[in-house]
Amino acid sequence: MNPVISAKNVWKLFGPDPESYLKSMTAGHSFDDIRADGYIAGVKDVSLDVSKGEMLVIMGLSGSGKSTLVRCFSRLHDITGGKIEVDGQDIMGLKEVELIELRRSKMGMVFQSFGLLPHRTVLQNVAFPLEMRGQDKHSTRDRAMEVVKLVGLEGREDYFPRELSGGQQQRVGIARSLAIEPDIWFLDEPFSALDPLIRREMQDEFLRLQAMLGKTIVFITHDFDEALRLADRIAIMKDGAVEQIDTPDKIVLNPATDYVAKFTEEVDKARVVHASVLVEDGSMGKGEPVAADATILSLARRLINDAADVIPVQMPDGNVKGMPRQAALDILLGEAK
Amino acid sequence: MTIVSDANLAVPEGGTPAMAVRRKVLIGLFGFAALLTVLRPWLPEALIRLPEAMLLPWSDWLDVGFAWVQNDLGLIHVTREIASWLGFLIDAAANVLYGKSRWPNFEAMPWSVVAGCLAVLGYWLGGWKLALLAGGTMVWTALMGQWKWAMETMSVIVVAAPVGFAVGLLIGILAWRSARFEKAMRPVLLVLQTLPFYSYLLPAVIFFKVGPTAASVATIAYSMPPMILMTIVGLKKVPPEVVEAGKMAGCSRWQMLRSVYIPSARTEILVGLNQVIMLALAMVVLTAFIGMPGLGAKLLAMMNSFKLGRSFEIGVTIVLLAVTLDRLSKAWVVKQPEHFEKGTPWWQRHILLLIGVATFVVFMVLAQVIPILNEIGRRQSLSMGSEIDVAIKGFLNLSWVKETTGFIRWFFNLWILIPTERALLYVPTAAVIAVVTGFCYALGGRRPALIGVLFFSIVAGFGWWDRAMITLHSTLTAVILAMVFGMPLAVWAARRETWSARMIFVCDTAQTFPSFIYLLPAIMLFGITPFTVILSILIYTMVPVIRYTIEGLRGVPPELTEAADMSGATRWQKLWNVQLPLAMPTIAVGLNQALIFAFFMVIIAAFIGTRDLGQEMQRTLAGTQLGKNFTLGFSVVFMALTFDIAINAWAEKRRRILGLA
Ligand SMILES: Nc1ncnc2c1ncn2[C@@H]1O[C@H](COP(=O)(O)OP(=O)(O)OP(=O)(O)O)[C@@H](O)[C@H]1O
Ligand SMILES: [Mg+2]
C-alpha cells in the first residue's frame, strides 16, 4: 500500500540563507557543526513513511524538532531540502490554491499553543475551517456543535477563549481540527494541558475514533505512557534527526542508539512488550496459549506459576508459537545481575 | 550598584582608542565653533551667514514643481473630485449636526438627543462614569451656548476621523505586506510627524479652497501617520500559531486578512483609531487659521480680542470634548466581548441598543414640545463670559499678582530669553552647525553626526537662518526649562506609587488636549508677550518630560534599588547612581517627544507675534506661496529630525548597554 505521508531526506534549516548553505554543506556535518555556522537544524535528514490508518507518535526532548517536522508535513514550513509526498503529491510543488484545497479537505492540525482566534467564541472557532471553505451556515453550525459536544464543551459554546481554562482551550483546538473530518491529522501535544481524567477520556475517544474512521495520525507527545497506549510506531528525535522509528516493543527491547536507550530507561518494559515479540521458532510449549497482544505484565501470574520453559502464544495468523519463559521473566523482573 | 557602575565604567583607565578618537573629534568640533565665534568681529560677512548669492532659489523651484504636478499632471482634477466627495460628506454631517441646509435636509439634531445617546454609548463602553462624562460634556456645551460651534467642529471630525482611519489602515496593511513599501514609508511618516501644521494647511487650501473641505483634508493627512504605524505594529504582532491555525483552516489570502489578522490586531488598530480621533481634534481646532468655523475659530477670535472669559469657556469645552473622545475610544479598545448565558432573550442581549433607540425617540419628541431641549439660544445660555473676564482681569490687576507676573516676565525676558537669543543669533552659521554636529556625535555617534551636518546645512541653504535660530531658541529654552521644572517634580512623584499614578493620570489626560489649548493659560497670565510663547511651550512640553521621567524611575527593577539600600546609599546617592542612570533611556524618549512637541507648539504660538519661522509661515497662508511655505516647514522638519535621530540613537545605545532592550 502506498504511504499517505512519505518523507525523503527532509531538511529544514533556520538561518539567513538556508538553501545555499545546505547545497554547499559537506556531508556528515553534525548538528553542532551546523550551529557553529549560524544555522539551526530544525529537521535534519529525516526519511520516514506513514501508512494509511497508522498512528505515528513522535517523541523527543524539547527543541528536538518535533513540531518543526510536523509543520513541514503540513507545509507550514517550506522545507530546505528533500521531498515530502502526501497522497503521492509532492507538497512543495503545490500551487497556493491546491495547498488551500488540500488543507480544507484533508488535513487537520492541533497546535501546541492552541492558536485560537481570540475574537471568536468557542463555536465560531470550531466552525472557522468550515466557514473558510464556504460551507452553508446551517450545516456548519450543526457540525461545529457536534464536535464541541464530542470534546465535552457543550454549554460553553458561546464563551470566548480567554474565558476558558487552558485545558478547555486545548479541547477547542482539538474540536476545530476535527470539524472538517480530516483524513490526515496532526496533533502537537494535544493533551498536554488536560487533567489526567480528561486526558484518559480523550485518549479513549481517540482510539475509538481511530478504530472507527481509520485516520492517519501524526501525534507528538512527551508522555511515554500516552505514546504506548496510542502508537502503532514511535519515532524518537534528537537534534532534528530521527534516531529510531519502530514499534514500541522494538524500541524498548532493541534501542538503536544510546540516546534511545536512555530515553526508554525509565519505562517499565513489562507493560510495553507483547508476548508475540518474544516468540521463537522451535518448541511450542504446552497448555492454554496466551494471546499475542498480551503484555508481559498481564501474564505475570502465569509466568511465575507455570514452571514450563516455553509458554505457547496464539499468533494472529492462527499458528501457535512458543515464548521462552526466562526471557519473559527477565523483562518482568529485570535481568539478573 | 555594581551593575550600574559596571555599565558606566567598563572601560580601562584612559579610555579605549575609539574613545580617544571620539574625544579628538569633539574637541575639534567644539573648538572650531568657539574659534569662529570669538573671531566673529574680524570675519568677513560671508563666513558669518551664507551670502544671499549662494542661496539656491528652493522656493521658486518648489513652486514650479507644484505647479507642474497641479496643472500638467492634473492633480488638481483629482483633488477636485476628492473635494466634491468630502464636501458632500461634510455637508451631510453638517446638516444632521447643526442643520446646514444641504442633503439630507433634516433639521438640526436637538442637543438633548445627542447628549442622551452619547451618554448611553458611554455607559455601554465604560459604565456610569463615562456616561456622565459624555452626557455632561454635551450638556455643558449646550448650556454655554456653544452648541453650534462645537457641532461645526464635530462635523469635520466625524468625516475626517473615519476617512483617516480607513486610509491609514489600508496604507498600514500595504506597508505590512511589502517590506520595501514599509521602508519607503518610514521616513515619510517621520517627516509627516514633525511637519509644522501650516505646511498641512496651505496645500490643503491651495488644492481644496478655504473651508471645511480643506480643513478635513489637512485633518486627515495630519491624523493618519499613527494609524499607519499602529496597523503595522498590530499586524506584525499577531501570534504565529494563530496565523498557522488560519493557514491550516485553508484560508485564502483575503480570508486570512479579514478573519485572522485584522481581528487579532484589534487592540492596536483601535489604539490607532484613538490617536486618529485625538489628532483630528487637535488639527481641526487649528484649521481656524484657514477659516474653518467652529470652536477653534471662536477661541482664536476671543484670544485675539483678549476676551479671557469667553476664551476660558471655549477652552473648557474643547478640553472636555477631548477627554470625552479619548476616554470613549480608549474604553472601546479595552472592551472585550463577553458571552451571554444560554437562552438569554434577544431584547436582553441588546438591551443597551434598545435603550439607546428609546433615548433617541424620547428626546426627539421632548425636544419638539420643550424648545429648550432642542436649542439653547444665546440669550438663554448660562455663559458667564463677561463675568469671568472681569474676574480674571481683576485678579491679574491685583497689585501683588501684577508685580509677580511682571517680575517673572522681566526676569525671564531680561536675564534668560533676550541674552540667549542674541547670543544664538550672534554665532556664525558654521559654528552652530559644528556645535549641533558635535552634540549629535556625542550622543549617537557618526551617523547622527553626519545627519546633523547635512540637515542643518540644508536649513542654512533654505535661507531662513535667523528665523530658524529664533525658532530653535524658543524650542530649546522651553524644553530646558520644562526639564528644570518638570524633572524634580517627577522625581518627587516617583517616590510613591500613589503620587506616580496620579501624576501619570494627569499627564495622560493633559496629553489629549489639543495643543492650541496650552496657549490659553499662558496668555491669561502674561498677555501677549514673547514670554507667553515660551511659557505655553513650557507647559505643553512638561507633560511628556514628567510622564516619562516617572515611568523611567518607576521602571527601575526593585532588586537594584534594594541592592543600593543594602549598600547603605542615601536617597540622593541612590537617585544619582542607580535610578537616574537606569531611567535615562526612558527619560530620553520623553525629552525627544518634548522637543517634537515644542517644535510643533512654537509654530502655533507664532500668532502671538514672534519673528521666527512660524510668523513667516503664517504669512504664506494669505497667498499661494507653497514653495516658501515648504522651505519654511522643512526648516523645522530638518531641525526636529536631527534631534530626534540623535536622541533616539543615544537611548537605543544606552538601553543595549544597560541590557534593557
Ligand atoms: N521559526 C523558527 N526560526 C528559527 N528557529 C526555529 C524556528 N522554529 C523552530 N526553531 C528551532 O528549531 C528547533 C526545534 O524546534 P521545535 O519547535 O520543533 O521543537 P520541539 O521538539 O517541538 O520542542 P517542544 O517539545 O518544546 O515543543 C529549536 O531549536 C528551535 O529553536
Ligand atoms: Mg513543539
Side-chain angles (χ1 to χ4, degrees), chain B residues 640-660:
Chain B
L641 281 186
T642 303
F643 291 106
D644 177 73
I645 289 167
I647 295 177
N648 272 334
W650 184 83
E652 192 100 329
K653 199 169 65 185
R654 256 348 262 175
R655 239 186 233 132
R656 248 199 336 268
I657 293 175
L658 295 175
L660 300 173

Side-chain angles (χ1 to χ4, degrees), chain B residues 284-585:
Chain B
V284 80
V285 173
L286 289 172
T287 52
F289 287 98
I290 51 170
M292 168 68 207
L295 289 172
K298 288 294 165 198
L299 181 57
L300 187 60
M302 298 296 166
M303 283 207 282
N304 267 333
S305 51
F306 212 59
K307 286 187 181 152
L308 295 183
R310 267 306 210 182
S311 308
F312 178 75
E313 285 178 357
I314 298 174
V316 171
T317 307
I318 295 179
V319 164
L320 281 175
L321 213 53
V323 174
T324 303
L325 288 175
D326 180 59
R327 292 285 136 80
L328 286 181
S329 50
K330 278 210 185 113
W332 194 21
V333 175
V334 292
K335 189 168 178 64
Q336 297 277 3
E338 254 168 64
H339 71 274
F340 286 93
E341 280 314 312
K342 255 181 105 86
T344 316
W346 185 90
W347 65 268
Q348 228 168 43
R349 286 174 192 248
H350 301 92
I351 183 86
L352 280 171
L353 182 67
L354 292 178
I355 294 181
V357 173
T359 313
F360 182 85
V361 174
V362 167
F363 277 109
M364 264 313 203
V365 172
L366 280 181
Q368 308 308 319
V369 188
I370 312 171
I372 201 133
L373 284 180
N374 187 10
E375 197 182 339
I376 296 182
R378 283 214 56 172
R379 292 281 145 65
Q380 300 153 310
S381 80
L382 300 181
S383 165
M384 308 218 294
S386 28
E387 288 84 343
I388 298 176
D389 200 49
V390 170
I392 296 175
K393 284 178 182 157
F395 174 76
L396 292 178
N397 268 330
L398 291 178
S399 65
W400 65 269
V401 177
K402 214 168 173 176
E403 271 165 32
T404 319
T405 55
F407 172 77
I408 295 177
R409 192 160 57 202
W410 170 82
F411 175 80
F412 276 96
N413 272 335
L414 200 65
W415 290 102
I416 300 183
L417 300 180
I418 296 177
T420 48
E421 187 178 298
R422 287 227 178 109
L424 192 56
L425 287 173
Y426 176 83
V427 179
T429 305
V432 173
I433 297 180
V435 170
V436 169
T437 310
F439 169 78
C440 294
Y441 184 75
L443 280 184
R446 202 172 322 152
R447 210 180 85 95
L450 288 178
I451 289 174
V453 181
L454 181 69
F455 282 8
F456 267 73
S457 305
I458 295 177
V459 173
F462 279 159
W464 301 104
W465 185 259
D466 282 347
R467 285 184 183 272
M469 284 306 104
I470 297 174
T471 299
L472 184 64
H473 171 260
S474 312
T475 311
L476 291 183
T477 337
V479 171
I480 291 170
L481 288 175
M483 295 193 58
V484 168
F485 294 123
M487 299 252 304
L489 196 61
V491 169
W492 170 79
R495 276 169 44 192
R496 288 260 194 92
E497 185 76 49
T498 46
W499 294 339
S500 306
R502 256 175 239 158
M503 205 70 167
I504 285 193
F505 176 79
V506 170
C507 288
D508 281 348
T509 309
Q511 217 157 31
T512 63
F513 301 169
S515 29
F516 202 30
I517 286 298
Y518 286 86
L519 282 171
L520 204 53
I523 289 186
M524 277 188 185
L525 281 175
F526 294 96
I528 297 193
T529 67
F531 177 64
T532 312
V533 175
I534 302 289
L535 183 66
S536 58
I537 309 176
L538 168 69
I539 306 174
Y540 187 44
T541 52
M542 229 153 91
V543 175
V545 168
I546 293 180
R547 192 184 187 296
Y548 283 92
T549 307
I550 294 181
E551 205 160 272
L553 290 175
R554 301 292 311 175
V556 174
E559 311 87 86
L560 291 182
T561 48
E562 278 160 16
D565 285 337
M566 289 314 292
S567 26
T570 64
R571 197 182 279 163
W572 269 109
Q573 286 173 321
K574 192 166 74 178
L575 184 66
W576 275 117
N577 298 310
V578 180
Q579 291 170 308
L580 276 179
L582 278 168
M584 251 354 239

Side-chain angles (χ1 to χ4, degrees), chain A residues 96-134:
Chain A
E96 190 176 326
V97 269
E98 293 168 333
L99 183 64
I100 287 177
E101 190 44 45
L102 177 72
R103 287 171 175 164
R104 281 183 183 180
S105 59
K106 282 209 179 131
M107 285 182 176
M109 182 150 172
V110 178
F111 291 89
Q112 187 170 0
S113 38
F114 318 151
L116 301 184
L117 299 165
H119 57 286
R120 288 175 160 247
T121 63
V122 168
L123 196 66
Q124 288 167 338
N125 257 293
V126 174
F128 185 65
L130 302 171
E131 246 174 67
M132 289 303 106
R133 65 180 188 189

